[in-house]
Amino acid sequence: MTNKLLAILALLVSIGYAHAQDDTDSSALAKKYQTGFAVYAEFGVLPNKSFKGIRDQMKALNIEPFEPVMASIVLARRMETDKFFMESRLILMNSSKYKDDNNAMRGMFRGIGLGVDASPKFVNSTRWNLLVPIGWDIMLYQLRVKNNKSASLAQVIQNPNNFTSMKLYNGSFNLHAGIGADYKMNLFPKVYDKVYLSAKATYHLPIFKRGQWRGDDVTITDLPSFKANQLYAQLGLVFFPKRNHRTWRGMH
């Protein structure tokens, strides 16, 4: 399961890079499109039953669960015209709880994925873009139960399995759609052509998913599968570097 998802991720990355290279090599598109980069924080804003179900099962087994908030950092490459925008997304999800409690087992939940957003610009004024972003994400999730025990070297050598973390994997292909707005700010005009404060609210719906959590040698039958269906809020900054600035020269 893990290898298949990683292979799909690698294929999508290669397709994206090839497409980006084609765009870069075309002088007509270079004049038509502007290219920038973005950094977003993304949070789930509605209760998620599968997320809560995993946490509840951990509590029942005396495992300290991960945080109840689904949070991600999203790194994006934006391409836009006066009438259209598209973003390629790298999603880094992490809801783990980090503590130094001795002799405690704790749950960790992470995810990584690639995705695309695109939309016409329904409003493009001197200060605002109004968007209806529609796109997809392919995600690989890791659920980990980490031991945080103190022990002597002899104890670890004699019972190594007692000090080994459990790692399980799951994945899904999600569609999403929502609304968004960019507020255009005149920040750092010597370095950037444009800087946006960007916000989106999108609903994610899993279309294809792996039903059961799997490890290297085991399939878990009684742990709820993770379903990403909920509303997400996203807030971040979008930067369009000046092509002739020495900081970005050679990167376009």
Side-chain angles (χ1 to χ4, degrees), residues 140-161:
L140 173 66
Y141 303 107
Q142 182 194 73
L143 180 62
R144 184 178 179 186
V145 177
K146 188 175 186 298
N147 292 319
N148 192 29
K149 298 179 181 179
S150 298
S152 67
L153 178 59
Q155 288 175 310
V156 176
I157 292 174
Q158 292 169 5
N159 299 287
N161 291 334

Side-chain angles (χ1 to χ4, degrees), residues 117-241:
D117 264 342
S119 170
K121 292 183 178 180
F122 292 92
V123 173
N124 182 9
S125 68
T126 56
R127 281 294 183 184
W128 293 96
N129 291 325
L130 293 183
L131 317 165
V132 181
I134 299 173
W136 54 263
D137 300 321
I138 183 168
M139 296 292 301
L140 173 66
Y141 303 107
Q142 182 194 73
L143 180 62
R144 184 178 179 186
V145 177
K146 188 175 186 298
N147 292 319
N148 192 29
K149 298 179 181 179
S150 298
S152 67
L153 178 59
Q155 288 175 310
V156 176
I157 292 174
Q158 292 169 5
N159 299 287
N161 291 334
N162 291 339
F163 305 95
T164 302
S165 298
M166 180 190 72
K167 297 179 183 179
L168 302 173
Y169 299 93
N170 209 323
S172 67
F173 179 83
N174 307 323
L175 298 182
H176 58 261
I179 58 173
D182 299 323
Y183 178 69
K184 303 175 182 180
M185 302 182 293
N186 187 26
L187 296 178
F188 314 113
K190 294 183 178 180
V191 181
Y192 300 105
D193 285 328
K194 296 182 291 186
V195 178
Y196 297 163
L197 177 64
S198 182
K200 300 184 185 76
T202 56
Y203 190 85
H204 291 219
L205 181 66
I207 302 301
F208 304 107
K209 60 183 178 62
R210 189 68 177 181
Q212 295 176 321
W213 289 94
R214 295 177 180 269
D216 292 335
D217 301 305
V218 66
T219 298
I220 306 300
T221 59
D222 62 345
L223 187 64
S225 62
F226 176 66
K227 305 177 184 67
N229 51 311
Q230 73 169 57
L231 183 68
Y232 292 81
Q234 182 177 292
L235 182 66
L237 293 171
V238 186
F239 302 90
F240 293 88

Side-chain angles (χ1 to χ4, degrees), residues 54-178:
I54 297 170
R55 295 183 76 252
D56 289 345
Q57 189 148 341
M58 286 187 170
K59 290 179 182 178
L61 296 172
N62 295 319
I63 300 170
E64 186 175 353
F66 44 83
E67 297 286 356
V69 178
M70 299 169 62
S72 301
I73 297 295
V74 179
L75 308 177
R77 179 179 183 267
R78 177 179 284 207
M79 299 179 63
E80 72 171 26
T81 68
D82 290 340
K83 297 182 178 181
F84 185 82
F85 102 100
M86 183 179 73
E87 283 184 345
S88 304
R89 296 159 32 96
L90 171 65
I91 305 106
L92 304 172
M93 178 185 175
N94 194 341
S95 296
S96 301
K97 181 183 293 185
Y98 295 97
K99 286 188 176 181
D100 294 327
D101 297 337
N102 289 331
N103 298 318
M105 299 178 68
R106 66 176 183 268
M108 307 176 77
F109 194 99
R110 298 170 179 168
I112 185 170
L114 295 175
V116 172
D117 264 342
S119 170
K121 292 183 178 180
F122 292 92
V123 173
N124 182 9
S125 68
T126 56
R127 281 294 183 184
W128 293 96
N129 291 325
L130 293 183
L131 317 165
V132 181
I134 299 173
W136 54 263
D137 300 321
I138 183 168
M139 296 292 301
L140 173 66
Y141 303 107
Q142 182 194 73
L143 180 62
R144 184 178 179 186
V145 177
K146 188 175 186 298
N147 292 319
N148 192 29
K149 298 179 181 179
S150 298
S152 67
L153 178 59
Q155 288 175 310
V156 176
I157 292 174
Q158 292 169 5
N159 299 287
N161 291 334
N162 291 339
F163 305 95
T164 302
S165 298
M166 180 190 72
K167 297 179 183 179
L168 302 173
Y169 299 93
N170 209 323
S172 67
F173 179 83
N174 307 323
L175 298 182
H176 58 261

